[in-house]
Amino acid sequence: MKAAILIGGRGTRLRPFTLDAPKPLLPVLNRPFLEYQFQVLRAHGVREAVLCTSYRASDFRRVFGDGRRLGLKLRYARERLPLGTGGALKNAEPFLRDGTALVLNGDVLNAFDLSAFLRFHRSRRAEISIALTRVKDPTQYGLVLTDDKGRVRRFLEKPSWDEVESNAINAGAYLFEPGAFDHIPPGKTYSLERGLFPERLAAGATLAGWIAPGYWIDIGTVDKYLQVHLDILEGRAPFKPGESARPLKGLSPARVVSGPGVRIAPFARFGGAVSLGRGVSVGRGAQLSDCVVLDGVRIGDGARLERCVVGARARVGTHAVLGPGAALAGGSRVGDYSLL
Ligand code: GDD
Ligand code: MG
């Protein structure tokens, strides 16, 4: 089976970090996020994928090339202007038509059992199957109502609270039969969630919804981007830090990891889960808890960081305080004794 991964969005809710890199390439424990999805694909025998690119399209080819290094055969489909999730998929149709295709949003991490999803899809003889997950706040996602046989009755993107009748949402993973592509208009902006899914339901097509068990996250906001790090480091997500995120030698529990070339001055203290990028330096007596510090950041003496994300090559002055929710842009500076 071939996969298509939708990665052309601008990632506006994850600014300022997505001004420097597209969301699926942002590092998670010092590896591009998409590599975790590739890991799931490979584990289920998927060897070929087409990346549906638009925003900063050439960045992906530069990082992943033909995919051989990752055990995959990667192809690239490019939209000059973003065509929306449906238009993007239609644009990649020539790569996908020869069988059931797996389609993934490029910003979700889900250790789901693809083989079980496929069995479900076949047993329901569905044109499209949608993986579902349960969340506390469905208004941020696509609400999916199903009957007791798993047939989708309604798909409502970003519902308001008074429309929320269930907590099952679109997890951003689909199985598509080739015929489903015929219902996507070519060469124009079109949405799967606001266009294709509701339209196919209205036409009486079979769409099936399968609850994907296990860990799921969409990393699309700063808070969620931080959260995926904490979840992996604290063992809630079934993924392991790779070679580029090693437990810090000597002074820390395994929940603090760093890339190569990190320098830690005496009396620095760590709490909770912390991810340090390559070449980060942490000043004397600095305190870090539950935070993500990207490559090349310098943290001054006595600085305090808590539940925040620091962009690559930023400078944090001595005794500066970055509190919960702070998101420091790559290359920026925070003065000594500043409070953020
Ligand atoms: N190629 C391409 N072109 N990709 C796009 C485009 C486009 O025009 N627009 C969005 N994408 C990609 C994004 O890069 C992202 O990986 C994925 O499609 C989903 O877009 P988001 O902008 O992250 O959507 P969302 O998170 O608000 O909602 C979507 O995901 C939820 C699950 O995380 C929807 O599919 C919801 O229904 C779903 O619940
Ligand atoms: Mg998203």
Side-chain angles (χ1 to χ4, degrees), residues 5-11 13 23-24 52-54 77 79 81-85 87-89 104-108 140-143 155-158 169-172 174 189 193 197 216-218 220:
I5 311 185
L6 301 169
I7 52 174
R10 303 183 69 86
R13 288 164 295 175
K23 179 164 59 172
C52 303
T53 63
S54 176
E79 303 138 57
L81 290 173
L83 289 174
T85 47
L89 193 58
L104 296 174
N105 284 352
D107 62 346
V108 297
Q140 305 301 308
Y141 304 101
L143 184 73
F155 190 105
L156 194 56
E157 185 65 15
K158 311 280 183 314
I169 59 127
N170 167 21
Y174 320 111
T189 305
E193 299 87 343
F197 300 154
W216 182 88
I217 196 167
D218 170 330

mmCIF file of all heavy atoms in Angstrom, residues 5-11 13 23-24 52-54 77 79 81-85 87-89 104-108 140-143 155-158 169-172 174 189 193 197 216-218 220, ligand 1:
data_model
loop_
_atom_site.group_PDB
_atom_site.id
_atom_site.type_symbol
_atom_site.label_atom_id
_atom_site.label_comp_id
_atom_site.label_asym_id
_atom_site.label_seq_id
_atom_site.Cartn_x
_atom_site.Cartn_y
_atom_site.Cartn_z
ATOM 1 N N ILE A 5 1.125 11.909 2.375
ATOM 2 C CA ILE A 5 1.184 12.688 3.612
ATOM 3 C C ILE A 5 0.978 14.157 3.267
ATOM 4 O O ILE A 5 1.692 14.709 2.413
ATOM 5 C CB ILE A 5 2.514 12.472 4.359
ATOM 6 C CG1 ILE A 5 2.812 10.976 4.493
ATOM 7 C CG2 ILE A 5 2.444 13.098 5.745
ATOM 8 C CD1 ILE A 5 4.040 10.631 5.311
ATOM 9 N N LEU A 6 -0.017 14.756 3.929
ATOM 10 C CA LEU A 6 -0.369 16.157 3.651
ATOM 11 C C LEU A 6 0.491 17.060 4.525
ATOM 12 O O LEU A 6 0.351 17.063 5.754
ATOM 13 C CB LEU A 6 -1.856 16.385 3.962
ATOM 14 C CG LEU A 6 -2.812 15.495 3.160
ATOM 15 C CD1 LEU A 6 -4.230 15.580 3.715
ATOM 16 C CD2 LEU A 6 -2.789 15.883 1.687
ATOM 17 N N ILE A 7 1.388 17.809 3.880
ATOM 18 C CA ILE A 7 2.337 18.602 4.674
ATOM 19 C C ILE A 7 2.495 20.012 4.135
ATOM 20 O O ILE A 7 3.520 20.656 4.374
ATOM 21 C CB ILE A 7 3.734 17.914 4.722
ATOM 22 C CG1 ILE A 7 4.213 17.570 3.309
ATOM 23 C CG2 ILE A 7 3.702 16.673 5.580
ATOM 24 C CD1 ILE A 7 5.606 17.024 3.259
ATOM 25 N N GLY A 8 1.480 20.500 3.436
ATOM 26 C CA GLY A 8 1.645 21.797 2.772
ATOM 27 C C GLY A 8 1.130 22.996 3.547
ATOM 28 O O GLY A 8 1.208 24.118 3.067
ATOM 29 N N GLY A 9 0.595 22.770 4.753
ATOM 30 C CA GLY A 9 0.017 23.889 5.510
ATOM 31 C C GLY A 9 1.094 24.852 6.002
ATOM 32 O O GLY A 9 2.283 24.509 6.067
ATOM 33 N N ARG A 10 0.683 26.058 6.349
ATOM 34 C CA ARG A 10 1.652 27.079 6.775
ATOM 35 C C ARG A 10 1.963 26.998 8.270
ATOM 36 O O ARG A 10 2.869 27.670 8.751
ATOM 37 C CB ARG A 10 1.132 28.480 6.439
ATOM 38 C CG ARG A 10 0.834 28.661 4.959
ATOM 39 C CD ARG A 10 0.398 30.071 4.655
ATOM 40 N NE ARG A 10 1.492 31.008 4.822
ATOM 41 C CZ ARG A 10 2.389 31.292 3.892
ATOM 42 N NH1 ARG A 10 2.308 30.711 2.724
ATOM 43 N NH2 ARG A 10 3.336 32.144 4.118
ATOM 44 N N GLY A 11 1.185 26.218 9.010
ATOM 45 C CA GLY A 11 1.484 26.030 10.432
ATOM 46 C C GLY A 11 1.367 27.311 11.240
ATOM 47 O O GLY A 11 2.167 27.559 12.151
ATOM 48 N N ARG A 13 -0.539 28.335 13.576
ATOM 49 C CA ARG A 13 -0.736 28.246 15.032
ATOM 50 C C ARG A 13 0.540 27.824 15.762
ATOM 51 O O ARG A 13 0.586 27.763 16.974
ATOM 52 C CB ARG A 13 -1.874 27.258 15.354
ATOM 53 C CG ARG A 13 -3.248 27.790 14.995
ATOM 54 C CD ARG A 13 -4.267 26.666 14.957
ATOM 55 N NE ARG A 13 -3.953 25.725 13.872
ATOM 56 C CZ ARG A 13 -4.591 24.592 13.640
ATOM 57 N NH1 ARG A 13 -5.594 24.236 14.422
ATOM 58 N NH2 ARG A 13 -4.250 23.810 12.641
ATOM 59 N N LYS A 23 6.044 22.899 9.715
ATOM 60 C CA LYS A 23 5.680 22.138 10.930
ATOM 61 C C LYS A 23 6.169 20.684 10.924
ATOM 62 O O LYS A 23 6.766 20.248 11.918
ATOM 63 C CB LYS A 23 4.154 22.218 11.077
ATOM 64 C CG LYS A 23 3.539 21.508 12.227
ATOM 65 C CD LYS A 23 2.111 21.984 12.473
ATOM 66 C CE LYS A 23 1.157 21.813 11.307
ATOM 67 N NZ LYS A 23 -0.247 22.114 11.666
ATOM 68 N N PRO A 24 5.984 19.924 9.831
ATOM 69 C CA PRO A 24 6.394 18.510 9.892
ATOM 70 C C PRO A 24 7.905 18.317 9.955
ATOM 71 O O PRO A 24 8.371 17.211 10.186
ATOM 72 C CB PRO A 24 5.834 17.925 8.597
ATOM 73 C CG PRO A 24 4.787 18.902 8.158
ATOM 74 C CD PRO A 24 5.269 20.242 8.592
ATOM 75 N N CYS A 52 2.830 15.573 -0.009
ATOM 76 C CA CYS A 52 2.051 16.624 -0.684
ATOM 77 C C CYS A 52 2.481 17.965 -0.116
ATOM 78 O O CYS A 52 2.071 18.348 0.985
ATOM 79 C CB CYS A 52 0.564 16.410 -0.465
ATOM 80 S SG CYS A 52 0.017 14.789 -1.024
ATOM 81 N N THR A 53 3.336 18.657 -0.859
ATOM 82 C CA THR A 53 4.001 19.841 -0.326
ATOM 83 C C THR A 53 3.467 21.127 -0.951
ATOM 84 O O THR A 53 2.947 21.130 -2.060
ATOM 85 C CB THR A 53 5.515 19.785 -0.595
ATOM 86 O OG1 THR A 53 5.714 19.796 -2.012
ATOM 87 C CG2 THR A 53 6.146 18.537 -0.022
ATOM 88 N N SER A 54 3.642 22.217 -0.224
ATOM 89 C CA SER A 54 3.364 23.538 -0.772
ATOM 90 C C SER A 54 4.257 24.546 -0.037
ATOM 91 O O SER A 54 5.278 24.977 -0.561
ATOM 92 C CB SER A 54 1.880 23.875 -0.627
ATOM 93 O OG SER A 54 1.650 25.176 -1.084
ATOM 94 N N ALA A 77 4.880 15.687 -4.454
ATOM 95 C CA ALA A 77 3.906 16.393 -5.283
ATOM 96 C C ALA A 77 3.901 17.812 -4.742
ATOM 97 O O ALA A 77 3.967 18.014 -3.532
ATOM 98 C CB ALA A 77 2.528 15.756 -5.145
ATOM 99 N N GLU A 79 2.267 21.803 -4.813
ATOM 100 C CA GLU A 79 1.246 22.774 -5.230
ATOM 101 C C GLU A 79 1.910 24.143 -5.233
ATOM 102 O O GLU A 79 2.517 24.516 -4.233
ATOM 103 C CB GLU A 79 0.082 22.801 -4.231
ATOM 104 C CG GLU A 79 -0.580 21.471 -4.005
ATOM 105 C CD GLU A 79 -0.882 21.263 -2.524
ATOM 106 O OE1 GLU A 79 -1.587 22.087 -1.916
ATOM 107 O OE2 GLU A 79 -0.387 20.265 -1.973
ATOM 108 N N LEU A 81 0.332 27.009 -5.286
ATOM 109 C CA LEU A 81 -0.419 27.653 -4.205
ATOM 110 C C LEU A 81 -1.110 26.534 -3.452
ATOM 111 O O LEU A 81 -1.540 25.564 -4.080
ATOM 112 C CB LEU A 81 -1.475 28.600 -4.783
ATOM 113 C CG LEU A 81 -0.936 29.856 -5.448
ATOM 114 C CD1 LEU A 81 -2.061 30.618 -6.116
ATOM 115 C CD2 LEU A 81 -0.228 30.739 -4.413
ATOM 116 N N PRO A 82 -1.216 26.649 -2.114
ATOM 117 C CA PRO A 82 -1.844 25.558 -1.371
ATOM 118 C C PRO A 82 -3.266 25.285 -1.871
ATOM 119 O O PRO A 82 -4.061 26.208 -2.033
ATOM 120 C CB PRO A 82 -1.866 26.066 0.075
ATOM 121 C CG PRO A 82 -1.287 27.425 0.079
ATOM 122 C CD PRO A 82 -0.761 27.749 -1.265
ATOM 123 N N LEU A 83 -3.557 24.022 -2.129
ATOM 124 C CA LEU A 83 -4.850 23.655 -2.718
ATOM 125 C C LEU A 83 -5.836 23.111 -1.684
ATOM 126 O O LEU A 83 -6.887 22.600 -2.063
ATOM 127 C CB LEU A 83 -4.630 22.602 -3.814
ATOM 128 C CG LEU A 83 -3.955 23.090 -5.098
ATOM 129 C CD1 LEU A 83 -3.662 21.917 -6.025
ATOM 130 C CD2 LEU A 83 -4.853 24.113 -5.806
ATOM 131 N N GLY A 84 -5.473 23.194 -0.401
ATOM 132 C CA GLY A 84 -6.334 22.598 0.616
ATOM 133 C C GLY A 84 -6.095 21.102 0.674
ATOM 134 O O GLY A 84 -5.432 20.531 -0.205
ATOM 135 N N THR A 85 -6.626 20.450 1.691
ATOM 136 C CA THR A 85 -6.311 19.028 1.884
ATOM 137 C C THR A 85 -6.811 18.165 0.715
ATOM 138 O O THR A 85 -6.131 17.228 0.297
ATOM 139 C CB THR A 85 -6.910 18.526 3.210
ATOM 140 O OG1 THR A 85 -8.270 18.963 3.304
ATOM 141 C CG2 THR A 85 -6.144 19.070 4.407
ATOM 142 N N GLY A 87 -7.545 19.271 -2.530
ATOM 143 C CA GLY A 87 -6.817 19.625 -3.746
ATOM 144 C C GLY A 87 -5.409 19.036 -3.728
ATOM 145 O O GLY A 87 -4.900 18.579 -4.765
ATOM 146 N N ALA A 88 -4.795 19.017 -2.564
ATOM 147 C CA ALA A 88 -3.438 18.460 -2.421
ATOM 148 C C ALA A 88 -3.435 16.968 -2.751
ATOM 149 O O ALA A 88 -2.550 16.466 -3.446
ATOM 150 C CB ALA A 88 -2.928 18.681 -0.998
ATOM 151 N N LEU A 89 -4.455 16.291 -2.270
ATOM 152 C CA LEU A 89 -4.529 14.842 -2.509
ATOM 153 C C LEU A 89 -4.787 14.553 -3.987
ATOM 154 O O LEU A 89 -4.174 13.658 -4.579
ATOM 155 C CB LEU A 89 -5.645 14.259 -1.633
ATOM 156 C CG LEU A 89 -5.658 12.758 -1.519
ATOM 157 C CD1 LEU A 89 -4.340 12.232 -0.968
ATOM 158 C CD2 LEU A 89 -6.811 12.315 -0.617
ATOM 159 N N LEU A 104 -2.402 10.590 5.314
ATOM 160 C CA LEU A 104 -2.139 11.073 6.681
ATOM 161 C C LEU A 104 -1.983 12.578 6.712
ATOM 162 O O LEU A 104 -1.347 13.160 5.821
ATOM 163 C CB LEU A 104 -0.819 10.489 7.200
ATOM 164 C CG LEU A 104 -0.714 8.993 7.391
ATOM 165 C CD1 LEU A 104 0.727 8.627 7.772
ATOM 166 C CD2 LEU A 104 -1.669 8.524 8.483
ATOM 167 N N ASN A 105 -2.534 13.213 7.727
ATOM 168 C CA ASN A 105 -2.144 14.594 8.014
ATOM 169 C C ASN A 105 -0.708 14.548 8.534
ATOM 170 O O ASN A 105 -0.379 13.692 9.370
ATOM 171 C CB ASN A 105 -3.041 15.196 9.102
ATOM 172 C CG ASN A 105 -4.410 15.584 8.570
ATOM 173 O OD1 ASN A 105 -4.645 15.552 7.364
ATOM 174 N ND2 ASN A 105 -5.305 15.964 9.461
ATOM 175 N N GLY A 106 0.115 15.489 8.103
ATOM 176 C CA GLY A 106 1.535 15.415 8.448
ATOM 177 C C GLY A 106 1.883 15.965 9.818
ATOM 178 O O GLY A 106 3.055 16.109 10.140
ATOM 179 N N ASP A 107 0.886 16.272 10.641
ATOM 180 C CA ASP A 107 1.204 16.852 11.954
ATOM 181 C C ASP A 107 0.606 16.040 13.094
ATOM 182 O O ASP A 107 0.463 16.544 14.195
ATOM 183 C CB ASP A 107 0.718 18.304 12.028
ATOM 184 C CG ASP A 107 -0.787 18.424 11.865
ATOM 185 O OD1 ASP A 107 -1.426 17.452 11.437
ATOM 186 O OD2 ASP A 107 -1.317 19.506 12.188
ATOM 187 N N VAL A 108 0.231 14.785 12.797
ATOM 188 C CA VAL A 108 -0.311 13.956 13.874
ATOM 189 C C VAL A 108 0.629 12.794 14.161
ATOM 190 O O VAL A 108 1.323 12.302 13.280
ATOM 191 C CB VAL A 108 -1.727 13.406 13.549
ATOM 192 C CG1 VAL A 108 -2.721 14.531 13.405
ATOM 193 C CG2 VAL A 108 -1.723 12.544 12.323
ATOM 194 N N GLN A 140 -11.764 21.932 18.149
ATOM 195 C CA GLN A 140 -10.524 22.224 17.419
ATOM 196 C C GLN A 140 -10.308 21.285 16.232
ATOM 197 O O GLN A 140 -9.323 21.403 15.521
ATOM 198 C CB GLN A 140 -9.308 22.044 18.355
ATOM 199 C CG GLN A 140 -9.367 22.845 19.625
ATOM 200 C CD GLN A 140 -9.480 24.320 19.319
ATOM 201 O OE1 GLN A 140 -8.686 24.856 18.545
ATOM 202 N NE2 GLN A 140 -10.492 24.977 19.869
ATOM 203 N N TYR A 141 -11.214 20.312 16.059
ATOM 204 C CA TYR A 141 -10.959 19.217 15.123
ATOM 205 C C TYR A 141 -12.179 18.968 14.234
ATOM 206 O O TYR A 141 -13.103 19.778 14.204
ATOM 207 C CB TYR A 141 -10.608 17.945 15.919
ATOM 208 C CG TYR A 141 -9.445 18.133 16.862
ATOM 209 C CD1 TYR A 141 -9.645 18.341 18.227
ATOM 210 C CD2 TYR A 141 -8.139 18.110 16.381
ATOM 211 C CE1 TYR A 141 -8.570 18.520 19.088
ATOM 212 C CE2 TYR A 141 -7.063 18.285 17.239
ATOM 213 C CZ TYR A 141 -7.279 18.490 18.589
ATOM 214 O OH TYR A 141 -6.216 18.663 19.422
ATOM 215 N N GLY A 142 -12.185 17.824 13.556
ATOM 216 C CA GLY A 142 -13.344 17.432 12.753
ATOM 217 C C GLY A 142 -14.165 16.413 13.540
ATOM 218 O O GLY A 142 -13.675 15.326 13.832
ATOM 219 N N LEU A 143 -15.381 16.794 13.880
ATOM 220 C CA LEU A 143 -16.247 15.905 14.662
ATOM 221 C C LEU A 143 -16.824 14.828 13.742
ATOM 222 O O LEU A 143 -17.279 15.137 12.645
ATOM 223 C CB LEU A 143 -17.385 16.740 15.256
ATOM 224 C CG LEU A 143 -18.342 16.010 16.194
ATOM 225 C CD1 LEU A 143 -17.672 15.729 17.522
ATOM 226 C CD2 LEU A 143 -19.599 16.848 16.409
ATOM 227 N N PHE A 155 -20.045 14.397 9.342
ATOM 228 C CA PHE A 155 -18.683 14.916 9.518
ATOM 229 C C PHE A 155 -18.790 16.428 9.603
ATOM 230 O O PHE A 155 -19.308 17.078 8.700
ATOM 231 C CB PHE A 155 -17.790 14.540 8.327
ATOM 232 C CG PHE A 155 -16.338 14.833 8.579
ATOM 233 C CD1 PHE A 155 -15.443 13.811 8.850
ATOM 234 C CD2 PHE A 155 -15.861 16.139 8.588
ATOM 235 C CE1 PHE A 155 -14.095 14.080 9.107
ATOM 236 C CE2 PHE A 155 -14.522 16.425 8.851
ATOM 237 C CZ PHE A 155 -13.649 15.390 9.108
ATOM 238 N N LEU A 156 -18.326 16.989 10.696
ATOM 239 C CA LEU A 156 -18.488 18.424 10.910
ATOM 240 C C LEU A 156 -17.150 19.019 11.355
ATOM 241 O O LEU A 156 -16.703 18.794 12.482
ATOM 242 C CB LEU A 156 -19.555 18.623 11.995
ATOM 243 C CG LEU A 156 -20.116 20.017 12.163
ATOM 244 C CD1 LEU A 156 -20.688 20.544 10.857
ATOM 245 C CD2 LEU A 156 -21.215 19.977 13.228
ATOM 246 N N GLU A 157 -16.531 19.776 10.447
ATOM 247 C CA GLU A 157 -15.216 20.339 10.751
ATOM 248 C C GLU A 157 -15.352 21.525 11.696
ATOM 249 O O GLU A 157 -16.199 22.387 11.495
ATOM 250 C CB GLU A 157 -14.531 20.754 9.431
ATOM 251 C CG GLU A 157 -13.112 21.255 9.580
ATOM 252 C CD GLU A 157 -12.122 20.213 10.074
ATOM 253 O OE1 GLU A 157 -12.429 19.007 10.064
ATOM 254 O OE2 GLU A 157 -11.013 20.612 10.511
ATOM 255 N N LYS A 158 -14.500 21.564 12.735
ATOM 256 C CA LYS A 158 -14.467 22.646 13.730
ATOM 257 C C LYS A 158 -15.874 23.036 14.193
ATOM 258 O O LYS A 158 -16.336 24.169 13.970
ATOM 259 C CB LYS A 158 -13.728 23.885 13.171
ATOM 260 C CG LYS A 158 -12.366 23.608 12.534
ATOM 261 C CD LYS A 158 -11.270 23.446 13.535
ATOM 262 C CE LYS A 158 -9.882 23.249 12.982
ATOM 263 N NZ LYS A 158 -9.595 22.341 11.906
ATOM 264 N N ILE A 169 -13.289 12.336 17.155
ATOM 265 C CA ILE A 169 -12.883 13.267 16.093
ATOM 266 C C ILE A 169 -12.030 12.556 15.041
ATOM 267 O O ILE A 169 -11.494 11.475 15.283
ATOM 268 C CB ILE A 169 -12.076 14.459 16.656
ATOM 269 C CG1 ILE A 169 -10.819 13.981 17.389
ATOM 270 C CG2 ILE A 169 -12.950 15.326 17.564
ATOM 271 C CD1 ILE A 169 -9.571 14.601 16.941
ATOM 272 N N ASN A 170 -11.924 13.211 13.915
ATOM 273 C CA ASN A 170 -11.054 12.757 12.840
ATOM 274 C C ASN A 170 -9.602 12.816 13.316
ATOM 275 O O ASN A 170 -9.100 13.891 13.637
ATOM 276 C CB ASN A 170 -11.294 13.692 11.641
ATOM 277 C CG ASN A 170 -10.258 13.549 10.556
ATOM 278 O OD1 ASN A 170 -9.577 12.524 10.476
ATOM 279 N ND2 ASN A 170 -10.158 14.571 9.719
ATOM 280 N N ALA A 171 -8.939 11.657 13.324
ATOM 281 C CA ALA A 171 -7.558 11.598 13.794
ATOM 282 C C ALA A 171 -6.555 11.954 12.695
ATOM 283 O O ALA A 171 -5.345 11.908 12.915
ATOM 284 C CB ALA A 171 -7.260 10.207 14.341
ATOM 285 N N GLY A 172 -7.035 12.277 11.501
ATOM 286 C CA GLY A 172 -6.124 12.687 10.422
ATOM 287 C C GLY A 172 -5.444 11.515 9.743
ATOM 288 O O GLY A 172 -4.309 11.649 9.277
ATOM 289 N N TYR A 174 -6.616 8.355 6.887
ATOM 290 C CA TYR A 174 -7.727 7.822 6.086
ATOM 291 C C TYR A 174 -7.253 6.683 5.202
ATOM 292 O O TYR A 174 -6.088 6.631 4.809
ATOM 293 C CB TYR A 174 -8.286 8.903 5.133
ATOM 294 C CG TYR A 174 -8.373 10.285 5.715
ATOM 295 C CD1 TYR A 174 -7.536 11.309 5.256
ATOM 296 C CD2 TYR A 174 -9.286 10.580 6.726
ATOM 297 C CE1 TYR A 174 -7.602 12.588 5.783
ATOM 298 C CE2 TYR A 174 -9.361 11.857 7.257
ATOM 299 C CZ TYR A 174 -8.513 12.855 6.788
ATOM 300 O OH TYR A 174 -8.579 14.117 7.314
ATOM 301 N N THR A 189 -8.794 24.665 -5.275
ATOM 302 C CA THR A 189 -8.729 24.542 -3.827
ATOM 303 C C THR A 189 -9.960 23.800 -3.329
ATOM 304 O O THR A 189 -11.084 24.139 -3.702
ATOM 305 C CB THR A 189 -8.677 25.948 -3.203
ATOM 306 O OG1 THR A 189 -7.590 26.639 -3.795
ATOM 307 C CG2 THR A 189 -8.471 25.877 -1.700
ATOM 308 N N GLU A 193 -12.274 17.851 4.460
ATOM 309 C CA GLU A 193 -13.120 17.891 5.652
ATOM 310 C C GLU A 193 -14.397 18.703 5.433
ATOM 311 O O GLU A 193 -15.449 18.348 5.962
ATOM 312 C CB GLU A 193 -12.333 18.496 6.820
ATOM 313 C CG GLU A 193 -11.079 17.703 7.218
ATOM 314 C CD GLU A 193 -9.836 18.102 6.417
ATOM 315 O OE1 GLU A 193 -9.984 18.753 5.347
ATOM 316 O OE2 GLU A 193 -8.720 17.759 6.835
ATOM 317 N N PHE A 197 -15.820 14.888 2.387
ATOM 318 C CA PHE A 197 -16.489 13.986 3.335
ATOM 319 C C PHE A 197 -17.990 14.282 3.454
ATOM 320 O O PHE A 197 -18.804 13.374 3.266
ATOM 321 C CB PHE A 197 -15.801 14.003 4.707
ATOM 322 C CG PHE A 197 -14.348 13.564 4.681
ATOM 323 C CD1 PHE A 197 -13.451 14.004 5.645
ATOM 324 C CD2 PHE A 197 -13.885 12.698 3.698
ATOM 325 C CE1 PHE A 197 -12.118 13.602 5.620
ATOM 326 C CE2 PHE A 197 -12.556 12.292 3.663
ATOM 327 C CZ PHE A 197 -11.665 12.752 4.629
ATOM 328 N N TRP A 216 -2.409 9.543 20.749
ATOM 329 C CA TRP A 216 -2.649 10.401 19.575
ATOM 330 C C TRP A 216 -2.413 11.857 19.950
ATOM 331 O O TRP A 216 -2.831 12.310 21.010
ATOM 332 C CB TRP A 216 -4.094 10.235 19.086
ATOM 333 C CG TRP A 216 -4.378 11.061 17.865
ATOM 334 C CD1 TRP A 216 -4.179 10.681 16.570
ATOM 335 C CD2 TRP A 216 -4.881 12.408 17.810
ATOM 336 N NE1 TRP A 216 -4.525 11.711 15.721
ATOM 337 C CE2 TRP A 216 -4.952 12.781 16.460
ATOM 338 C CE3 TRP A 216 -5.253 13.337 18.777
ATOM 339 C CZ2 TRP A 216 -5.400 14.035 16.041
ATOM 340 C CZ3 TRP A 216 -5.699 14.590 18.367
ATOM 341 C CH2 TRP A 216 -5.770 14.925 17.007
ATOM 342 N N ILE A 217 -1.747 12.586 19.067
ATOM 343 C CA ILE A 217 -1.606 14.033 19.280
ATOM 344 C C ILE A 217 -1.472 14.722 17.920
ATOM 345 O O ILE A 217 -0.950 14.138 16.956
ATOM 346 C CB ILE A 217 -0.387 14.363 20.187
ATOM 347 C CG1 ILE A 217 -0.478 15.808 20.724
ATOM 348 C CG2 ILE A 217 0.931 14.130 19.460
ATOM 349 C CD1 ILE A 217 0.491 16.113 21.860
ATOM 350 N N ASP A 218 -1.995 15.938 17.837
ATOM 351 C CA ASP A 218 -1.757 16.830 16.698
ATOM 352 C C ASP A 218 -0.822 17.907 17.240
ATOM 353 O O ASP A 218 -1.168 18.590 18.212
ATOM 354 C CB ASP A 218 -3.112 17.414 16.256
ATOM 355 C CG ASP A 218 -2.983 18.542 15.241
ATOM 356 O OD1 ASP A 218 -1.974 19.269 15.259
ATOM 357 O OD2 ASP A 218 -3.910 18.714 14.447
ATOM 358 N N GLY A 220 -0.012 20.762 16.276
ATOM 359 C CA GLY A 220 -0.216 22.034 15.579
ATOM 360 C C GLY A 220 -0.193 23.318 16.388
ATOM 361 O O GLY A 220 -0.305 24.389 15.799
HETATM 362 N N1 GDD B 1 -0.321 19.928 0.665
HETATM 363 C C1 GDD B 1 -1.150 20.617 1.443
HETATM 364 N N2 GDD B 1 -1.844 21.661 0.904
HETATM 365 N N3 GDD B 1 -1.272 20.256 2.739
HETATM 366 C C2 GDD B 1 -2.123 20.979 3.508
HETATM 367 C C3 GDD B 1 -2.862 22.062 3.022
HETATM 368 C C4 GDD B 1 -2.704 22.417 1.641
HETATM 369 O O1 GDD B 1 -3.299 23.361 1.134
HETATM 370 N N4 GDD B 1 -3.607 22.570 4.045
HETATM 371 C C5 GDD B 1 -3.320 21.809 5.137
HETATM 372 N N5 GDD B 1 -2.426 20.863 4.813
HETATM 373 C C6 GDD B 1 -1.858 19.848 5.702
HETATM 374 C C7 GDD B 1 -1.183 20.462 6.911
HETATM 375 O O2 GDD B 1 0.199 20.690 6.633
HETATM 376 C C8 GDD B 1 -1.401 19.412 7.982
HETATM 377 O O3 GDD B 1 -0.363 18.443 8.009
HETATM 378 C C9 GDD B 1 -2.685 18.732 7.554
HETATM 379 O O4 GDD B 1 -2.915 19.076 6.187
HETATM 380 C C10 GDD B 1 -3.894 19.177 8.403
HETATM 381 O O5 GDD B 1 -3.963 20.593 8.373
HETATM 382 P P1 GDD B 1 -4.094 21.425 9.728
HETATM 383 O O6 GDD B 1 -4.080 22.851 9.355
HETATM 384 O O7 GDD B 1 -3.137 20.940 10.739
HETATM 385 O O8 GDD B 1 -5.588 21.053 10.140
HETATM 386 P P2 GDD B 1 -6.232 20.946 11.587
HETATM 387 O O9 GDD B 1 -5.292 20.345 12.554
HETATM 388 O O10 GDD B 1 -6.839 22.248 11.952
HETATM 389 O O11 GDD B 1 -7.445 19.921 11.310
HETATM 390 C C11 GDD B 1 -7.217 18.712 10.600
HETATM 391 O O12 GDD B 1 -6.606 17.753 11.456
HETATM 392 C C12 GDD B 1 -7.401 17.344 12.597
HETATM 393 C C13 GDD B 1 -6.627 16.271 13.335
HETATM 394 O O13 GDD B 1 -5.442 16.745 13.780
HETATM 395 C C14 GDD B 1 -8.558 18.198 10.098
HETATM 396 O O14 GDD B 1 -8.305 17.098 9.256
HETATM 397 C C15 GDD B 1 -9.477 17.792 11.254
HETATM 398 O O15 GDD B 1 -10.663 17.211 10.750
HETATM 399 C C16 GDD B 1 -8.763 16.792 12.151
HETATM 400 O O16 GDD B 1 -9.571 16.464 13.286
#
